[in-house]
Amino acid sequence: KQEVTQIPAALSVPEGENLVLNCSFTDSAIYNLQWFRQDPGKGLTSLLLIQSSQREQTSGRLNASLDKSSGRSTLYIAASQPGDSATYLCAVMNTGFQKLVFGTGTRLLVSP
Amino acid sequence: EPEVTQTPSHQVTQMGQEVILRCVPISNHLYFYWYRQILGQKVEFLVSFYNNEISEKSEIFDDQFSVERPDGSNFTLKIRSTKLEDSAMYFCASSGGNRGSVYGYTFGSGTRLTVV
């Protein structure tokens, strides 16, 4: 059974810092991995999708990497801003299935 | 940018009542999903729907739950007799291809269901 874990659970940084969020998964037979952002009481906004054959994806200040064999992904946020404050969720889709298995999330606070 | 629309945004219902949560997926998407998130917990998969039938469901999705695509645009989740533990945020999602394909999922903003 796929288990997805994210560390740290919470992170507080001053504006301008570069930071890394970590995601690990127990079953490496994944089809893809997706990073989402969730604002309090709101829905999920897709940030980046990495197919299992890819090593990384970039969008603006965000860069996500995937190491399938070790069961890890990282989300790198450059030059953080207060508007980046949210919960970041990692989710994997296993080969042969359609559902996403979500991680526990990292709550990020970027202070001005 | 295309959106997945969910209504209502918040619903309060009495235990034992039936509720229907509504979703309008992105128009050219083929795969539809419901997820839920109990307060403070992980987002959990409920069901996926393709070609007018359930393609995958979780152990949470028991006989109390059903899904339907009544017309060409709406996708609904019905809970027949709500329990207190059904209180959660329910998210609808859609994707353009099989298993999220190249495009991944698009989620709606959710319906907060409160059972009292």
Coordinates of all heavy atoms in Angstrom, one line a residue, chain A residues 3-4 31-32 34 36 38 41-44 46 49 51 89 93 95-100 102-104, chain B residues 31 33 35 37 42-43 45 48 55-56 89 91 98-105 107-110 112:
Chain A
E3 N 2.3 4.7 0.7 CA 2.3 5.7 1.8 C 3.1 6.9 1.4 O 4.2 6.7 0.9 CB 2.8 5.1 3.1 CG 2.0 4.0 3.7 CD 0.7 4.4 4.4 OE1 0.6 5.6 4.6 OE2 -0.1 3.6 4.6
V4 N 2.6 8.1 1.6 CA 3.3 9.3 1.2 C 3.5 10.2 2.4 O 2.6 10.5 3.1 CB 2.5 10.1 0.1 CG1 3.3 11.3 -0.3 CG2 2.3 9.2 -1.1
Y31 N 3.3 6.2 -11.5 CA 3.0 6.7 -12.9 C 3.4 8.2 -13.0 O 4.0 8.6 -14.0 CB 1.6 6.5 -13.2 CG 1.2 6.8 -14.7 CD1 1.6 6.0 -15.7 CD2 0.5 7.9 -14.9 CE1 1.3 6.4 -17.0 CE2 0.1 8.3 -16.2 CZ 0.6 7.5 -17.3 OH 0.2 7.8 -18.6
N32 N 3.0 9.0 -12.0 CA 3.4 10.4 -11.9 C 3.3 10.9 -10.5 O 2.8 10.2 -9.6 CB 2.5 11.2 -12.9 CG 1.0 11.2 -12.6 OD1 0.6 11.3 -11.5 ND2 0.2 11.2 -13.6
Q34 N 2.5 14.7 -8.4 CA 2.0 16.0 -8.6 C 2.1 16.8 -7.3 O 1.9 16.3 -6.2 CB 0.5 16.0 -9.0 CG 0.0 17.2 -9.7 CD -1.3 16.9 -10.5 OE1 -1.8 15.8 -10.6 NE2 -1.9 18.0 -11.0
F36 N 0.7 20.1 -5.2 CA -0.4 21.0 -5.1 C -0.1 22.1 -4.0 O 0.6 21.8 -3.1 CB -1.7 20.3 -4.7 CG -2.2 19.3 -5.8 CD1 -1.7 18.0 -5.8 CD2 -3.1 19.7 -6.7 CE1 -2.2 17.1 -6.7 CE2 -3.5 18.8 -7.7 CZ -3.1 17.5 -7.7
Q38 N -2.5 24.3 -1.3 CA -3.8 24.5 -0.7 C -3.8 25.7 0.3 O -3.0 25.7 1.2 CB -4.2 23.2 0.0 CG -5.6 23.3 0.6 CD -6.1 22.0 1.2 OE1 -5.3 21.2 1.8 NE2 -7.4 21.7 1.2
G41 N -9.0 26.5 3.9 CA -10.4 26.4 3.5 C -10.7 26.4 2.0 O -11.8 26.5 1.6
K42 N -9.6 26.3 1.3 CA -9.8 26.4 -0.2 C -9.5 25.0 -0.9 O -9.1 24.0 -0.2 CB -8.9 27.4 -0.8 CG -9.0 28.8 -0.2 CD -10.3 29.5 -0.6 CE -10.4 30.9 -0.1 NZ -11.6 31.5 -0.5
G43 N -9.6 25.1 -2.2 CA -9.3 23.9 -3.0 C -7.8 23.7 -3.2 O -7.0 24.3 -2.6
L44 N -7.5 22.7 -4.1 CA -6.2 22.4 -4.5 C -5.8 23.0 -5.8 O -6.5 22.7 -6.8 CB -6.0 20.9 -4.5 CG -6.5 20.1 -3.3 CD1 -6.5 18.6 -3.5 CD2 -5.7 20.5 -2.1
S46 N -3.0 22.9 -8.7 CA -1.9 22.1 -9.2 C -0.7 23.0 -9.5 O -0.8 24.1 -10.1 CB -2.3 21.4 -10.5 OG -1.2 20.7 -11.0
L49 N 3.6 18.8 -12.3 CA 3.3 17.4 -12.5 C 4.6 16.8 -13.1 O 5.1 17.3 -14.1 CB 2.2 17.2 -13.5 CG 1.9 15.7 -14.0 CD1 1.4 14.9 -12.9 CD2 1.0 15.7 -15.2
Q51 N 6.1 13.3 -14.7 CA 5.9 11.9 -15.1 C 7.0 11.0 -14.5 O 8.1 11.5 -14.3 CB 5.8 11.8 -16.6 CG 4.8 12.6 -17.3 CD 3.4 12.2 -16.9 OE1 3.1 11.0 -16.5 NE2 2.4 13.1 -17.1
L89 N 1.1 20.2 -0.9 CA 0.8 18.7 -0.8 C 1.4 18.0 -2.0 O 1.5 18.5 -3.1 CB -0.7 18.5 -1.0 CG -1.6 19.1 0.1 CD1 -3.1 18.9 -0.2 CD2 -1.3 18.5 1.5
M93 N 0.5 8.9 -8.1 CA -0.4 8.0 -8.8 C 0.4 6.8 -9.1 O 1.4 6.9 -9.8 CB -1.0 8.6 -10.0 CG -2.0 7.7 -10.7 SD -2.6 8.5 -12.3 CE -3.6 9.8 -11.6
T95 N 1.2 3.2 -10.9 CA 1.0 2.5 -12.2 C -0.2 1.5 -12.0 O -0.2 0.7 -11.0 CB 2.3 1.8 -12.6 OG1 3.3 2.7 -12.7 CG2 2.0 1.1 -14.0
G96 N -1.1 1.6 -12.9 CA -2.2 0.6 -12.9 C -3.4 1.2 -12.1 O -4.5 0.5 -12.0
F97 N -3.3 2.3 -11.5 CA -4.4 2.9 -10.7 C -4.7 4.3 -11.2 O -3.9 4.9 -11.9 CB -4.1 2.9 -9.2 CG -3.9 1.6 -8.6 CD1 -2.7 0.9 -8.6 CD2 -5.0 1.0 -8.0 CE1 -2.6 -0.3 -8.0 CE2 -4.9 -0.3 -7.5 CZ -3.7 -0.9 -7.5
Q98 N -5.8 4.8 -10.8 CA -6.2 6.2 -11.2 C -6.2 7.1 -10.0 O -6.2 8.3 -10.2 CB -7.6 6.2 -11.9 CG -7.6 5.4 -13.2 CD -8.9 5.7 -13.9 OE1 -9.7 6.5 -13.6 NE2 -9.0 4.9 -15.0
K99 N -6.2 6.6 -8.8 CA -6.3 7.5 -7.7 C -5.0 8.2 -7.4 O -3.9 7.6 -7.6 CB -6.8 6.8 -6.5 CG -5.8 5.7 -6.0 CD -6.4 5.0 -4.7 CE -5.4 4.0 -4.2 NZ -6.0 3.3 -3.0
L100 N -5.0 9.3 -6.8 CA -3.9 10.0 -6.2 C -3.8 9.7 -4.7 O -4.8 9.6 -4.0 CB -4.0 11.5 -6.3 CG -3.8 12.1 -7.7 CD1 -4.1 13.6 -7.7 CD2 -2.4 11.9 -8.3
F102 N -2.2 11.1 -1.4 CA -1.7 12.4 -0.9 C -0.8 12.2 0.3 O -1.0 11.3 1.1 CB -2.8 13.3 -0.5 CG -3.5 14.0 -1.7 CD1 -4.4 13.3 -2.5 CD2 -3.1 15.3 -2.1 CE1 -5.0 14.0 -3.6 CE2 -3.6 15.9 -3.2 CZ -4.6 15.2 -3.9
G103 N 0.1 13.1 0.4 CA 1.0 13.2 1.6 C 0.3 14.0 2.7 O -0.8 14.5 2.5
T104 N 1.0 14.2 3.8 CA 0.5 14.8 4.9 C 0.5 16.3 4.8 O -0.1 17.0 5.6 CB 1.3 14.4 6.2 OG1 2.7 14.4 5.8 CG2 1.0 13.0 6.6
Chain B
Y31 N -12.3 12.1 -17.4 CA -12.2 11.3 -16.1 C -12.6 12.3 -15.0 O -12.2 13.4 -14.9 CB -10.8 10.8 -15.9 CG -10.4 9.8 -16.9 CD1 -9.9 10.2 -18.2 CD2 -10.5 8.4 -16.7 CE1 -9.6 9.2 -19.2 CE2 -10.1 7.5 -17.6 CZ -9.7 7.9 -18.8 OH -9.3 6.9 -19.8
Y33 N -13.5 12.6 -10.7 CA -13.1 12.1 -9.4 C -13.8 12.8 -8.2 O -14.1 14.0 -8.3 CB -11.6 12.2 -9.2 CG -10.8 11.7 -10.4 CD1 -10.5 12.6 -11.4 CD2 -10.3 10.4 -10.4 CE1 -9.7 12.2 -12.5 CE2 -9.5 10.0 -11.5 CZ -9.2 10.9 -12.5 OH -8.5 10.5 -13.6
Y35 N -12.8 13.3 -4.0 CA -11.9 13.2 -2.9 C -12.6 13.9 -1.7 O -13.4 14.7 -1.9 CB -10.6 13.8 -3.2 CG -9.7 13.0 -4.2 CD1 -10.0 13.1 -5.5 CD2 -8.6 12.3 -3.7 CE1 -9.2 12.4 -6.4 CE2 -7.8 11.6 -4.6 CZ -8.1 11.6 -5.9 OH -7.3 10.9 -6.8
Q37 N -11.6 15.5 2.4 CA -10.6 15.9 3.4 C -11.2 16.2 4.7 O -11.9 17.2 4.8 CB -9.7 17.0 2.9 CG -8.5 17.4 3.8 CD -7.7 18.5 3.3 OE1 -8.2 19.4 2.7 NE2 -6.4 18.4 3.6
K42 N -5.4 14.0 5.9 CA -5.0 13.9 4.5 C -6.2 14.0 3.5 O -7.3 13.6 3.9 CB -4.3 12.6 4.2 CG -2.9 12.5 4.8 CD -2.3 11.2 4.3 CE -1.0 10.9 5.0 NZ -0.3 9.7 4.4
V43 N -5.9 14.4 2.3 CA -6.9 14.3 1.3 C -7.0 12.8 0.9 O -6.0 12.1 0.7 CB -6.5 15.1 0.0 CG1 -7.5 14.9 -1.1 CG2 -6.4 16.6 0.4
F45 N -8.9 9.7 -1.5 CA -9.6 9.3 -2.7 C -10.9 8.6 -2.3 O -11.0 7.8 -1.4 CB -8.7 8.4 -3.5 CG -9.4 7.7 -4.7 CD1 -9.7 8.4 -5.8 CD2 -9.8 6.4 -4.6 CE1 -10.3 7.8 -6.9 CE2 -10.4 5.7 -5.7 CZ -10.6 6.4 -6.8
S48 N -13.4 7.2 -8.8 CA -13.1 7.7 -10.1 C -14.2 7.2 -11.1 O -14.8 6.1 -10.9 CB -11.7 7.4 -10.6 OG -11.6 6.0 -10.7
S55 N -14.8 3.5 -12.3 CA -13.6 2.8 -12.7 C -12.7 2.4 -11.5 O -12.0 1.4 -11.6 CB -12.8 3.6 -13.7 OG -12.5 4.9 -13.2
E56 N -12.8 3.1 -10.4 CA -12.1 2.7 -9.2 C -12.8 3.4 -8.0 O -13.3 4.5 -8.1 CB -10.6 3.2 -9.3 CG -9.7 2.7 -8.3 CD -8.2 3.2 -8.6 OE1 -7.9 3.6 -9.7 OE2 -7.4 3.0 -7.6
M89 N -14.5 18.3 3.8 CA -14.5 19.0 2.6 C -14.4 18.0 1.5 O -13.6 17.1 1.5 CB -13.2 19.9 2.5 CG -13.1 20.8 1.3 SD -14.3 22.2 1.4 CE -13.1 23.5 1.9
F91 N -14.0 17.3 -2.5 CA -13.4 17.9 -3.7 C -13.7 17.1 -4.9 O -13.6 15.8 -4.9 CB -11.8 18.0 -3.6 CG -11.3 18.9 -2.6 CD1 -10.7 18.4 -1.4 CD2 -11.4 20.3 -2.7 CE1 -10.2 19.3 -0.4 CE2 -10.9 21.1 -1.8 CZ -10.4 20.6 -0.6
N98 N -6.2 9.5 -19.5 CA -6.1 8.4 -18.5 C -5.1 8.7 -17.5 O -3.9 9.1 -17.8 CB -5.8 7.2 -19.3 CG -5.9 5.9 -18.5 OD1 -6.6 5.9 -17.5 ND2 -5.2 4.9 -18.9
R99 N -5.4 8.4 -16.2 CA -4.5 8.5 -15.1 C -3.8 9.8 -15.0 O -2.6 9.9 -14.7 CB -3.6 7.3 -15.1 CG -4.3 6.0 -14.9 CD -3.3 4.9 -15.0 NE -2.9 4.6 -16.3 CZ -1.8 4.0 -16.6 NH1 -1.0 3.5 -15.7 NH2 -1.5 3.8 -17.9
G100 N -4.6 10.9 -15.3 CA -4.0 12.2 -15.1 C -3.1 12.6 -16.3 O -2.9 13.8 -16.5
S101 N -2.7 11.6 -17.1 CA -2.0 11.9 -18.4 C -0.9 12.9 -18.2 O -0.3 13.0 -17.2 CB -3.0 12.2 -19.4 OG -2.4 12.3 -20.7
V102 N -0.8 13.7 -19.2 CA 0.3 14.8 -19.2 C -0.2 16.0 -18.4 O 0.6 16.7 -17.9 CB 0.6 15.2 -20.7 CG1 1.6 16.3 -20.7 CG2 1.0 14.0 -21.5
Y103 N -1.5 16.1 -18.3 CA -2.0 17.4 -17.7 C -2.3 17.3 -16.3 O -2.6 18.4 -15.7 CB -3.3 17.7 -18.5 CG -3.1 17.7 -20.0 CD1 -3.5 16.7 -20.8 CD2 -2.3 18.8 -20.6 CE1 -3.3 16.7 -22.2 CE2 -2.1 18.8 -22.0 CZ -2.6 17.7 -22.7 OH -2.3 17.7 -24.1
G104 N -2.4 16.2 -15.7 CA -2.7 16.1 -14.3 C -4.1 16.4 -14.0 O -5.0 16.4 -14.9
Y105 N -4.4 16.5 -12.7 CA -5.7 16.8 -12.3 C -6.0 18.3 -12.1 O -5.1 19.0 -11.8 CB -5.9 16.2 -10.9 CG -6.1 14.7 -10.7 CD1 -5.3 13.8 -11.2 CD2 -7.2 14.3 -9.9 CE1 -5.5 12.5 -11.0 CE2 -7.4 13.0 -9.7 CZ -6.6 12.0 -10.2 OH -6.8 10.7 -10.0
F107 N -8.6 20.4 -9.7 CA -9.5 20.2 -8.6 C -10.5 21.5 -8.5 O -10.1 22.6 -8.9 CB -8.8 20.1 -7.3 CG -8.3 18.8 -7.0 CD1 -7.1 18.3 -7.5 CD2 -9.0 17.9 -6.1 CE1 -6.6 17.0 -7.3 CE2 -8.5 16.6 -5.8 CZ -7.4 16.2 -6.4
G108 N -11.7 21.2 -8.0 CA -12.6 22.3 -7.7 C -12.2 22.9 -6.4 O -11.3 22.4 -5.7
S109 N -12.9 23.9 -6.0 CA -12.6 24.6 -4.7 C -13.3 23.9 -3.5 O -13.0 24.3 -2.4 CB -13.1 26.1 -4.8 OG -14.4 26.1 -5.1
G110 N -14.1 22.9 -3.7 CA -14.6 22.1 -2.6 C -16.0 22.5 -2.1 O -16.4 23.6 -2.3
R112 N -17.8 22.2 1.6 CA -17.7 21.9 3.0 C -19.0 21.3 3.5 O -20.0 22.1 3.5 CB -17.2 23.1 3.8 CG -17.1 22.7 5.3 CD -16.3 23.7 6.1 NE -15.0 23.9 5.6 CZ -14.0 23.1 5.9 NH1 -14.2 22.0 6.6 NH2 -12.7 23.3 5.5

